[in-house]
Structures are given as C-alpha cells and as structure tokens.
Amino acid sequence: MPLQIINSVATWILKKRIHQMELFLKYPQEVQEELLFSLIKSAENTLIGKKYEFSSIKNYATFNERIPISTYEDLEPLIERTRQGEQNVFWNTNIKWFAKSSGTTNAKSKFIPVSSEALENCHYKASKDLLCLYLNNNEDSQLFVGKSLRLGGSKQLYEDNNTFFGDLSAILIDNMPIWAEFSSTPSSKISLMGDWETKLPAIINETINENVTSLAGVPSWMMVLLQKTLETTGKNNLLELWPNAEVYFHGGVNFDPYRELYKKLFPKDDFKYYEIYNASEGFFAIQDLNNSNELLLMLDYGIFYEFIPMETFGTLNQRTIRLNEVELNKNYALVITTNSGLWRYLIGDTIRFTSLQPYRIKVTGRTKHHINVFGEELMVENTDTALAKTCKEFNCEIKDYTVAPIFMSDNQKGAHEWIIEFITKPHNIANFCKALDENLQNINSDYEAKRYNNMTLNPLVVHVARENLFYDWLKQQDKLGGQHKIPRLSNERIYLESLLLLN
C-alpha cells in the first residue's frame, strides 16, 4: 500500500476518537465519578478491597474517609508481594510488569505496578490520543509517510517469578502493537538495549537513513542523542538529515530551558512541539492545541484524580479535594487512584490549573523538589521560566542545573546556590546572575519579599559547571538514559554538594 494512502487511513482512524473525548469534555465530573466506582467495584475482592470494605463504599465521602493517602513507601510491602508472584493483592487482574523508577527523590528504586488495563486503556490509548489531537490540529500532516524516532529505556527479567521490570518506555515498547512497531525507529532490539553508551551509537546508525517525521522522548536525553547525531553525520542541523521532520513529542521535564536549542536543531517556523504529561504511574495530560503550553487533563484513562492544595500539604490541616473544587492558578499536589491498583497514591508532582472549561493544567514541580527554607516557596516552574528568560537575554544556552539553599548561620544570611552547565556561556557571569535573580523576583513574589534589601536572602550564587558534569554525575549514580532526571531544586544540599565535588 502506498505511504500516502497509509497516512490518510491512519489519520482517519485516529481522528475518530475526537467524538469520544467530547464526552469527558462535556461531563467531566460524571465521567470521573463513574470511573471511581468502576475501580472500586473491580477491586472489591482483592486484599486491599477487603481490608477497606470496598463493597460498602457508595459515595465519595466514604471513600475519602476510609482510604488513606499513600506514598510509595506505604504501598511497597504489597507491591513486593506481587513482585514475588502473589496476585489479587491491590488489583483484580494479574500484574507481571513493574515500571522501575528511581525518580529524583532518593537513590532507592521504585517498582510501580502496570496492569494490562493500564497498558491498553491508559498508556496506549493516550499514545493514540496524542496523535489524534495533533492530526486534528494539523490537517496537512504527513506523519505516517515516515517514522517516529523513539527514545526508550531497557528491560530485565526479575528473578524467576515471571515478573518483569524496566523503564516504563521499555515496557511499552516491548508490548506495543505491530502497527506501532512498523511506524517507529529504532527497532525494539536496539530500543531495549541496557547500556546507554552502547545504545546511543546503535540508535544513530539505525536512524540516520530513515525518513524520520516525528520524535518522542525526554528533552534532556533526546538532546544528547541529537547532538551526537549531528557530530556523527557532520550535518549543520537535523532537517538536513530528516527534511520531513514535523513534530517533537516531549515530556518528563520542563521544555522551556531547552526550547531555543531545539529551534536550532530544527530550524523551520512550522516545526511543532507537543508536550505530554506521563509517568510510571499513568498518563495524565496531553497538549491539545498548537503552540500551547497548557495540557488537557485526560479523564477517561482509568485514573481518578484528587488534589491537595499546597498551602495545606504536609500540615495538620491537609485536605483533599475533587476536580469540581479546584481553582485557577493554585498549586496542588496530585493524588491518583488507578487501574493498576494504586489507591489514593501521592505521585509527588505538583500542578496548577490554567483552565477549568476544559480542565487544562501545567506541571509546576515536585512535592519534594521545591525550596521553602526561608518561606520563598520556589517551584521548579519558577526557576525554569526565569532561567529561560535570562538565557534569551544573554544569548546563552544551558544543558542542566540544580539549586540548593545556603543555610543561615551566625555570620551570614541565607541564599540560593546554583550550579549551571552551559552549552554557550554568558559573556559576563556576574551580570547573568544579577538578571537571573531579578527575573526570579519578578516571577515569584515570595522570593521577591525575602530578597527585599537583602533582608532575609542574599543574592543568589552561581557556579559554572565543567563540561559533562551532570552526565558524569548521573553515570556515577548508574542513572544514564531512560527517564532519569537531574533534581532541579532541593531543600537540602546533598545533590549540590556531590556535584560540586565532581566539578
């Protein structure tokens, strides 16, 4: 079948989903409530369902009162039992896949259960919806004339219990339908290779002769791959290699600090960038409009959403609210109940709503990755935005960064200490620091108040990192490739101190 016909047929099939999306757009509360009780009914005879008497839960108030908010540490004993082969613990169908995620909170690995329902009705459904929304907004797209360059992780067999773990991307690649394999590059064999430094040249060798029309992956690691591809091929930009490339689907970290770099890699005005919000625990939101920085919250993926206002988070007054109670432009900790058996699970991300009709969000950071040592309530969204603005003003580019507090002592005030790895350095680092500090104050009024006349906080301090510092640090932590990310902000100095020792 000619590629143009394949493109037309695939586009027609995917765009049919738009009509189904209209249901949750029109009736968001009803869709979510029906989903919650479907999840409860499915799991009522599981170990956890019997413990909390799911069969007698008839309304949200009882659900809220009876089932506690859980962290991974709370659920780990039950997850470990399932990893050892026991079933019907927290979900009623067999779970053999576990998405391994060290996250950025600590060195300990997490093993997030992934059910067959989550694979089909959440992750794969979301992948098709992403394409559906993109194609609906771009009628002339030739996406399926070529292939999608995907950047995934690795998988391993866990002992002899017939349970598997690996990066979520590896689990998805290993289980993906034939049509998706046909339209992707590199091959599954190369995509699932375990060693990043061996996988990198293998991906390049297999993809440089393909007709790549789209790319998908975490911006930081995709950037490493693309820069190495230019180095290998001697091209000036990637459109010389893949002239039909039209869109980059990205997620995992804030794209703002990388945007200008990608514009140089794909130098054409109509090249598109589409953001997604997914994690090992589920797929949550998709950019549904061209040239937007907001994500449509997807309400029919087998995930029930709750939210904790950050002003009450971790306090005696902590409260959990439903979708119909959220307000615009407030930070919330995200709580999910999923079709993999995560019950009222605190995922660790913070979001804010930018629209309530429909529900659109932005990811603002992590519950454990903000700085509030001095009452400044600094979020990753703040530092990413300020850094992107400052880099544009000084015509420089960054690769990575992290920030930690300088604690007050008898002879000094507090401050924020940064370490930034530049691709292109500013000509005057002192002026760069001053501008970065001012941009942060303009974005965050709490930080501005603490900086007023150096009353509480002194000006920020920036260390310029040597080349490949963050890469070497991740390698030292055995966290190269996949979905591993640099911790941007911390209330402690552990990440910063270890990086400074390597610098």
Side-chain angles (χ1 to χ4, degrees), residues 57-84:
I57 296 177
K58 305 301 180 186
N59 53 54
Y60 173 74
T62 307
F63 175 78
N64 185 25
E65 291 166 6
R66 190 175 295 176
I67 303 172
I69 301 294
S70 298
T71 63
Y72 181 80
E73 288 70 26
D74 296 325
L75 299 180
E76 184 183 28
L78 295 179
I79 290 173
E80 187 58 29
R81 285 168 64 172
T82 304
R83 288 184 69 210
Q84 297 295 338

PDB file of all heavy atoms in Angstrom, residues 57-84:
ATOM      1  N   ILE A  57     -18.597   0.896  50.025  1.00  0.00           N
ATOM      2  CA  ILE A  57     -18.347   2.305  49.671  1.00  0.00           C
ATOM      3  C   ILE A  57     -19.330   2.718  48.583  1.00  0.00           C
ATOM      4  O   ILE A  57     -19.278   2.228  47.452  1.00  0.00           O
ATOM      5  CB  ILE A  57     -16.898   2.507  49.197  1.00  0.00           C
ATOM      6  CG1 ILE A  57     -15.908   2.209  50.330  1.00  0.00           C
ATOM      7  CG2 ILE A  57     -16.697   3.959  48.704  1.00  0.00           C
ATOM      8  CD1 ILE A  57     -14.441   2.325  49.933  1.00  0.00           C
ATOM      9  N   LYS A  58     -20.235   3.624  48.920  1.00  0.00           N
ATOM     10  CA  LYS A  58     -21.290   4.043  47.994  1.00  0.00           C
ATOM     11  C   LYS A  58     -21.189   5.503  47.578  1.00  0.00           C
ATOM     12  O   LYS A  58     -21.935   5.949  46.704  1.00  0.00           O
ATOM     13  CB  LYS A  58     -22.669   3.796  48.617  1.00  0.00           C
ATOM     14  CG  LYS A  58     -22.916   2.361  49.091  1.00  0.00           C
ATOM     15  CD  LYS A  58     -22.781   1.362  47.944  1.00  0.00           C
ATOM     16  CE  LYS A  58     -23.032  -0.067  48.424  1.00  0.00           C
ATOM     17  NZ  LYS A  58     -22.765  -1.063  47.364  1.00  0.00           N
ATOM     18  N   ASN A  59     -20.292   6.253  48.184  1.00  0.00           N
ATOM     19  CA  ASN A  59     -20.140   7.658  47.807  1.00  0.00           C
ATOM     20  C   ASN A  59     -18.711   8.125  48.054  1.00  0.00           C
ATOM     21  O   ASN A  59     -17.934   7.448  48.723  1.00  0.00           O
ATOM     22  CB  ASN A  59     -21.130   8.539  48.580  1.00  0.00           C
ATOM     23  CG  ASN A  59     -21.037   8.321  50.081  1.00  0.00           C
ATOM     24  OD1 ASN A  59     -19.955   8.425  50.672  1.00  0.00           O
ATOM     25  ND2 ASN A  59     -22.164   7.988  50.698  1.00  0.00           N
ATOM     26  N   TYR A  60     -18.379   9.290  47.506  1.00  0.00           N
ATOM     27  CA  TYR A  60     -17.013   9.796  47.622  1.00  0.00           C
ATOM     28  C   TYR A  60     -16.630  10.096  49.066  1.00  0.00           C
ATOM     29  O   TYR A  60     -15.488   9.872  49.478  1.00  0.00           O
ATOM     30  CB  TYR A  60     -16.822  11.056  46.770  1.00  0.00           C
ATOM     31  CG  TYR A  60     -15.465  11.698  46.990  1.00  0.00           C
ATOM     32  CD1 TYR A  60     -14.316  11.121  46.454  1.00  0.00           C
ATOM     33  CD2 TYR A  60     -15.330  12.834  47.791  1.00  0.00           C
ATOM     34  CE1 TYR A  60     -13.058  11.672  46.688  1.00  0.00           C
ATOM     35  CE2 TYR A  60     -14.078  13.394  48.022  1.00  0.00           C
ATOM     36  CZ  TYR A  60     -12.951  12.813  47.474  1.00  0.00           C
ATOM     37  OH  TYR A  60     -11.718  13.362  47.707  1.00  0.00           O
ATOM     38  N   ALA A  61     -17.584  10.574  49.848  1.00  0.00           N
ATOM     39  CA  ALA A  61     -17.277  10.919  51.242  1.00  0.00           C
ATOM     40  C   ALA A  61     -16.745   9.708  52.001  1.00  0.00           C
ATOM     41  O   ALA A  61     -15.759   9.817  52.756  1.00  0.00           O
ATOM     42  CB  ALA A  61     -18.531  11.469  51.928  1.00  0.00           C
ATOM     43  N   THR A  62     -17.358   8.544  51.807  1.00  0.00           N
ATOM     44  CA  THR A  62     -16.881   7.323  52.466  1.00  0.00           C
ATOM     45  C   THR A  62     -15.506   6.932  51.940  1.00  0.00           C
ATOM     46  O   THR A  62     -14.626   6.529  52.710  1.00  0.00           O
ATOM     47  CB  THR A  62     -17.878   6.165  52.239  1.00  0.00           C
ATOM     48  OG1 THR A  62     -19.171   6.585  52.641  1.00  0.00           O
ATOM     49  CG2 THR A  62     -17.474   4.929  53.023  1.00  0.00           C
ATOM     50  N   PHE A  63     -15.315   7.021  50.627  1.00  0.00           N
ATOM     51  CA  PHE A  63     -14.018   6.741  50.009  1.00  0.00           C
ATOM     52  C   PHE A  63     -12.940   7.621  50.628  1.00  0.00           C
ATOM     53  O   PHE A  63     -11.854   7.161  51.001  1.00  0.00           O
ATOM     54  CB  PHE A  63     -14.128   6.983  48.502  1.00  0.00           C
ATOM     55  CG  PHE A  63     -12.844   6.849  47.731  1.00  0.00           C
ATOM     56  CD1 PHE A  63     -12.328   5.599  47.412  1.00  0.00           C
ATOM     57  CD2 PHE A  63     -12.151   7.977  47.310  1.00  0.00           C
ATOM     58  CE1 PHE A  63     -11.146   5.477  46.690  1.00  0.00           C
ATOM     59  CE2 PHE A  63     -10.972   7.866  46.593  1.00  0.00           C
ATOM     60  CZ  PHE A  63     -10.475   6.609  46.284  1.00  0.00           C
ATOM     61  N   ASN A  64     -13.251   8.895  50.789  1.00  0.00           N
ATOM     62  CA  ASN A  64     -12.309   9.873  51.327  1.00  0.00           C
ATOM     63  C   ASN A  64     -11.983   9.588  52.797  1.00  0.00           C
ATOM     64  O   ASN A  64     -10.835   9.702  53.225  1.00  0.00           O
ATOM     65  CB  ASN A  64     -12.906  11.278  51.169  1.00  0.00           C
ATOM     66  CG  ASN A  64     -11.953  12.379  51.593  1.00  0.00           C
ATOM     67  OD1 ASN A  64     -10.739  12.197  51.577  1.00  0.00           O
ATOM     68  ND2 ASN A  64     -12.507  13.510  51.985  1.00  0.00           N
ATOM     69  N   GLU A  65     -12.986   9.196  53.557  1.00  0.00           N
ATOM     70  CA  GLU A  65     -12.787   8.949  54.988  1.00  0.00           C
ATOM     71  C   GLU A  65     -12.057   7.631  55.256  1.00  0.00           C
ATOM     72  O   GLU A  65     -11.245   7.532  56.170  1.00  0.00           O
ATOM     73  CB  GLU A  65     -14.154   8.903  55.693  1.00  0.00           C
ATOM     74  CG  GLU A  65     -14.857  10.236  55.752  1.00  0.00           C
ATOM     75  CD  GLU A  65     -16.323  10.091  56.148  1.00  0.00           C
ATOM     76  OE1 GLU A  65     -16.727   8.946  56.488  1.00  0.00           O
ATOM     77  OE2 GLU A  65     -17.055  11.093  56.106  1.00  0.00           O
ATOM     78  N   ARG A  66     -12.346   6.620  54.440  1.00  0.00           N
ATOM     79  CA  ARG A  66     -11.915   5.260  54.762  1.00  0.00           C
ATOM     80  C   ARG A  66     -10.513   4.922  54.255  1.00  0.00           C
ATOM     81  O   ARG A  66      -9.762   4.200  54.910  1.00  0.00           O
ATOM     82  CB  ARG A  66     -12.929   4.258  54.197  1.00  0.00           C
ATOM     83  CG  ARG A  66     -12.714   2.842  54.682  1.00  0.00           C
ATOM     84  CD  ARG A  66     -13.819   1.925  54.190  1.00  0.00           C
ATOM     85  NE  ARG A  66     -15.121   2.279  54.742  1.00  0.00           N
ATOM     86  CZ  ARG A  66     -16.255   1.686  54.403  1.00  0.00           C
ATOM     87  NH1 ARG A  66     -16.244   0.727  53.487  1.00  0.00           N
ATOM     88  NH2 ARG A  66     -17.397   2.052  54.941  1.00  0.00           N
ATOM     89  N   ILE A  67     -10.172   5.426  53.082  1.00  0.00           N
ATOM     90  CA  ILE A  67      -8.913   5.021  52.450  1.00  0.00           C
ATOM     91  C   ILE A  67      -7.876   6.126  52.622  1.00  0.00           C
ATOM     92  O   ILE A  67      -8.103   7.267  52.220  1.00  0.00           O
ATOM     93  CB  ILE A  67      -9.122   4.703  50.955  1.00  0.00           C
ATOM     94  CG1 ILE A  67     -10.188   3.623  50.812  1.00  0.00           C
ATOM     95  CG2 ILE A  67      -7.818   4.250  50.301  1.00  0.00           C
ATOM     96  CD1 ILE A  67     -10.622   3.371  49.395  1.00  0.00           C
ATOM     97  N   PRO A  68      -6.741   5.827  53.207  1.00  0.00           N
ATOM     98  CA  PRO A  68      -5.734   6.868  53.469  1.00  0.00           C
ATOM     99  C   PRO A  68      -4.974   7.264  52.200  1.00  0.00           C
ATOM    100  O   PRO A  68      -4.882   6.499  51.249  1.00  0.00           O
ATOM    101  CB  PRO A  68      -4.793   6.195  54.472  1.00  0.00           C
ATOM    102  CG  PRO A  68      -4.890   4.727  54.145  1.00  0.00           C
ATOM    103  CD  PRO A  68      -6.318   4.499  53.718  1.00  0.00           C
ATOM    104  N   ILE A  69      -4.435   8.469  52.220  1.00  0.00           N
ATOM    105  CA  ILE A  69      -3.484   8.886  51.187  1.00  0.00           C
ATOM    106  C   ILE A  69      -2.212   8.057  51.373  1.00  0.00           C
ATOM    107  O   ILE A  69      -1.737   7.880  52.500  1.00  0.00           O
ATOM    108  CB  ILE A  69      -3.157  10.389  51.315  1.00  0.00           C
ATOM    109  CG1 ILE A  69      -4.427  11.239  51.197  1.00  0.00           C
ATOM    110  CG2 ILE A  69      -2.123  10.803  50.272  1.00  0.00           C
ATOM    111  CD1 ILE A  69      -5.096  11.193  49.851  1.00  0.00           C
ATOM    112  N   SER A  70      -1.655   7.543  50.261  1.00  0.00           N
ATOM    113  CA  SER A  70      -0.500   6.641  50.348  1.00  0.00           C
ATOM    114  C   SER A  70       0.686   7.166  49.549  1.00  0.00           C
ATOM    115  O   SER A  70       0.522   7.746  48.478  1.00  0.00           O
ATOM    116  CB  SER A  70      -0.870   5.254  49.807  1.00  0.00           C
ATOM    117  OG  SER A  70      -1.903   4.679  50.569  1.00  0.00           O
ATOM    118  N   THR A  71       1.871   6.919  50.075  1.00  0.00           N
ATOM    119  CA  THR A  71       3.108   7.131  49.327  1.00  0.00           C
ATOM    120  C   THR A  71       3.609   5.772  48.842  1.00  0.00           C
ATOM    121  O   THR A  71       3.063   4.725  49.221  1.00  0.00           O
ATOM    122  CB  THR A  71       4.183   7.772  50.208  1.00  0.00           C
ATOM    123  OG1 THR A  71       4.502   6.853  51.273  1.00  0.00           O
ATOM    124  CG2 THR A  71       3.700   9.091  50.799  1.00  0.00           C
ATOM    125  N   TYR A  72       4.657   5.779  48.050  1.00  0.00           N
ATOM    126  CA  TYR A  72       5.221   4.504  47.597  1.00  0.00           C
ATOM    127  C   TYR A  72       5.679   3.666  48.782  1.00  0.00           C
ATOM    128  O   TYR A  72       5.480   2.448  48.808  1.00  0.00           O
ATOM    129  CB  TYR A  72       6.393   4.735  46.638  1.00  0.00           C
ATOM    130  CG  TYR A  72       6.973   3.424  46.147  1.00  0.00           C
ATOM    131  CD1 TYR A  72       6.360   2.719  45.124  1.00  0.00           C
ATOM    132  CD2 TYR A  72       8.103   2.870  46.758  1.00  0.00           C
ATOM    133  CE1 TYR A  72       6.859   1.495  44.699  1.00  0.00           C
ATOM    134  CE2 TYR A  72       8.607   1.647  46.340  1.00  0.00           C
ATOM    135  CZ  TYR A  72       7.976   0.969  45.300  1.00  0.00           C
ATOM    136  OH  TYR A  72       8.471  -0.250  44.895  1.00  0.00           O
ATOM    137  N   GLU A  73       6.271   4.319  49.757  1.00  0.00           N
ATOM    138  CA  GLU A  73       6.772   3.596  50.922  1.00  0.00           C
ATOM    139  C   GLU A  73       5.638   2.870  51.656  1.00  0.00           C
ATOM    140  O   GLU A  73       5.824   1.772  52.187  1.00  0.00           O
ATOM    141  CB  GLU A  73       7.495   4.559  51.870  1.00  0.00           C
ATOM    142  CG  GLU A  73       8.852   5.046  51.362  1.00  0.00           C
ATOM    143  CD  GLU A  73       8.757   5.999  50.184  1.00  0.00           C
ATOM    144  OE1 GLU A  73       7.709   6.682  50.041  1.00  0.00           O
ATOM    145  OE2 GLU A  73       9.714   6.050  49.384  1.00  0.00           O
ATOM    146  N   ASP A  74       4.455   3.488  51.671  1.00  0.00           N
ATOM    147  CA  ASP A  74       3.296   2.849  52.309  1.00  0.00           C
ATOM    148  C   ASP A  74       2.879   1.584  51.562  1.00  0.00           C
ATOM    149  O   ASP A  74       2.465   0.595  52.180  1.00  0.00           O
ATOM    150  CB  ASP A  74       2.104   3.818  52.348  1.00  0.00           C
ATOM    151  CG  ASP A  74       2.372   5.049  53.200  1.00  0.00           C
ATOM    152  OD1 ASP A  74       3.078   4.914  54.213  1.00  0.00           O
ATOM    153  OD2 ASP A  74       1.893   6.137  52.827  1.00  0.00           O
ATOM    154  N   LEU A  75       2.963   1.623  50.229  1.00  0.00           N
ATOM    155  CA  LEU A  75       2.477   0.516  49.395  1.00  0.00           C
ATOM    156  C   LEU A  75       3.538  -0.539  49.098  1.00  0.00           C
ATOM    157  O   LEU A  75       3.219  -1.620  48.608  1.00  0.00           O
ATOM    158  CB  LEU A  75       1.937   1.063  48.070  1.00  0.00           C
ATOM    159  CG  LEU A  75       0.756   2.026  48.150  1.00  0.00           C
ATOM    160  CD1 LEU A  75       0.350   2.480  46.753  1.00  0.00           C
ATOM    161  CD2 LEU A  75      -0.427   1.385  48.860  1.00  0.00           C
ATOM    162  N   GLU A  76       4.783  -0.225  49.406  1.00  0.00           N
ATOM    163  CA  GLU A  76       5.885  -1.109  48.998  1.00  0.00           C
ATOM    164  C   GLU A  76       5.739  -2.562  49.465  1.00  0.00           C
ATOM    165  O   GLU A  76       5.988  -3.487  48.677  1.00  0.00           O
ATOM    166  CB  GLU A  76       7.213  -0.532  49.483  1.00  0.00           C
ATOM    167  CG  GLU A  76       8.403  -1.352  49.013  1.00  0.00           C
ATOM    168  CD  GLU A  76       9.717  -0.824  49.561  1.00  0.00           C
ATOM    169  OE1 GLU A  76       9.703  -0.220  50.646  1.00  0.00           O
ATOM    170  OE2 GLU A  76      10.740  -1.027  48.900  1.00  0.00           O
ATOM    171  N   PRO A  77       5.316  -2.831  50.701  1.00  0.00           N
ATOM    172  CA  PRO A  77       5.188  -4.241  51.105  1.00  0.00           C
ATOM    173  C   PRO A  77       4.202  -5.023  50.226  1.00  0.00           C
ATOM    174  O   PRO A  77       4.466  -6.178  49.872  1.00  0.00           O
ATOM    175  CB  PRO A  77       4.695  -4.140  52.550  1.00  0.00           C
ATOM    176  CG  PRO A  77       5.185  -2.819  53.027  1.00  0.00           C
ATOM    177  CD  PRO A  77       5.076  -1.914  51.844  1.00  0.00           C
ATOM    178  N   LEU A  78       3.084  -4.400  49.858  1.00  0.00           N
ATOM    179  CA  LEU A  78       2.106  -5.065  48.996  1.00  0.00           C
ATOM    180  C   LEU A  78       2.649  -5.236  47.576  1.00  0.00           C
ATOM    181  O   LEU A  78       2.426  -6.264  46.932  1.00  0.00           O
ATOM    182  CB  LEU A  78       0.802  -4.272  48.962  1.00  0.00           C
ATOM    183  CG  LEU A  78       0.020  -4.172  50.283  1.00  0.00           C
ATOM    184  CD1 LEU A  78      -1.242  -3.346  50.094  1.00  0.00           C
ATOM    185  CD2 LEU A  78      -0.317  -5.553  50.822  1.00  0.00           C
ATOM    186  N   ILE A  79       3.364  -4.220  47.092  1.00  0.00           N
ATOM    187  CA  ILE A  79       3.954  -4.305  45.754  1.00  0.00           C
ATOM    188  C   ILE A  79       4.995  -5.415  45.703  1.00  0.00           C
ATOM    189  O   ILE A  79       5.051  -6.192  44.744  1.00  0.00           O
ATOM    190  CB  ILE A  79       4.566  -2.941  45.348  1.00  0.00           C
ATOM    191  CG1 ILE A  79       3.445  -1.919  45.105  1.00  0.00           C
ATOM    192  CG2 ILE A  79       5.439  -3.086  44.099  1.00  0.00           C
ATOM    193  CD1 ILE A  79       3.927  -0.505  44.873  1.00  0.00           C
ATOM    194  N   GLU A  80       5.793  -5.534  46.757  1.00  0.00           N
ATOM    195  CA  GLU A  80       6.825  -6.565  46.794  1.00  0.00           C
ATOM    196  C   GLU A  80       6.201  -7.960  46.795  1.00  0.00           C
ATOM    197  O   GLU A  80       6.729  -8.884  46.158  1.00  0.00           O
ATOM    198  CB  GLU A  80       7.723  -6.370  48.023  1.00  0.00           C
ATOM    199  CG  GLU A  80       8.931  -7.303  48.062  1.00  0.00           C
ATOM    200  CD  GLU A  80       9.839  -7.190  46.854  1.00  0.00           C
ATOM    201  OE1 GLU A  80       9.915  -6.098  46.253  1.00  0.00           O
ATOM    202  OE2 GLU A  80      10.469  -8.223  46.489  1.00  0.00           O
ATOM    203  N   ARG A  81       5.088  -8.127  47.472  1.00  0.00           N
ATOM    204  CA  ARG A  81       4.401  -9.425  47.457  1.00  0.00           C
ATOM    205  C   ARG A  81       3.963  -9.783  46.043  1.00  0.00           C
ATOM    206  O   ARG A  81       4.082 -10.935  45.604  1.00  0.00           O
ATOM    207  CB  ARG A  81       3.193  -9.381  48.404  1.00  0.00           C
ATOM    208  CG  ARG A  81       3.589  -9.456  49.870  1.00  0.00           C
ATOM    209  CD  ARG A  81       2.448  -9.138  50.810  1.00  0.00           C
ATOM    210  NE  ARG A  81       1.348 -10.098  50.718  1.00  0.00           N
ATOM    211  CZ  ARG A  81       0.313 -10.102  51.567  1.00  0.00           C
ATOM    212  NH1 ARG A  81       0.278  -9.214  52.559  1.00  0.00           N
ATOM    213  NH2 ARG A  81      -0.640 -10.998  51.433  1.00  0.00           N
ATOM    214  N   THR A  82       3.487  -8.804  45.306  1.00  0.00           N
ATOM    215  CA  THR A  82       3.072  -9.051  43.927  1.00  0.00           C
ATOM    216  C   THR A  82       4.273  -9.332  43.037  1.00  0.00           C
ATOM    217  O   THR A  82       4.217 -10.180  42.145  1.00  0.00           O
ATOM    218  CB  THR A  82       2.273  -7.842  43.389  1.00  0.00           C
ATOM    219  OG1 THR A  82       1.176  -7.597  44.257  1.00  0.00           O
ATOM    220  CG2 THR A  82       1.741  -8.126  41.991  1.00  0.00           C
ATOM    221  N   ARG A  83       5.366  -8.644  43.290  1.00  0.00           N
ATOM    222  CA  ARG A  83       6.586  -8.917  42.510  1.00  0.00           C
ATOM    223  C   ARG A  83       7.078 -10.347  42.734  1.00  0.00           C
ATOM    224  O   ARG A  83       7.711 -10.937  41.861  1.00  0.00           O
ATOM    225  CB  ARG A  83       7.700  -7.926  42.890  1.00  0.00           C
ATOM    226  CG  ARG A  83       7.467  -6.509  42.375  1.00  0.00           C
ATOM    227  CD  ARG A  83       8.653  -5.625  42.696  1.00  0.00           C
ATOM    228  NE  ARG A  83       9.805  -6.031  41.903  1.00  0.00           N
ATOM    229  CZ  ARG A  83      11.076  -5.897  42.292  1.00  0.00           C
ATOM    230  NH1 ARG A  83      11.355  -5.423  43.476  1.00  0.00           N
ATOM    231  NH2 ARG A  83      12.054  -6.275  41.504  1.00  0.00           N
ATOM    232  N   GLN A  84       6.790 -10.886  43.891  1.00  0.00           N
ATOM    233  CA  GLN A  84       7.202 -12.261  44.195  1.00  0.00           C
ATOM    234  C   GLN A  84       6.199 -13.288  43.653  1.00  0.00           C
ATOM    235  O   GLN A  84       6.381 -14.485  43.851  1.00  0.00           O
ATOM    236  CB  GLN A  84       7.365 -12.439  45.712  1.00  0.00           C
ATOM    237  CG  GLN A  84       8.456 -11.577  46.334  1.00  0.00           C
ATOM    238  CD  GLN A  84       9.846 -11.932  45.836  1.00  0.00           C
ATOM    239  OE1 GLN A  84      10.082 -13.032  45.351  1.00  0.00           O
ATOM    240  NE2 GLN A  84      10.781 -10.992  45.938  1.00  0.00           N
TER     241      GLN A  84
END
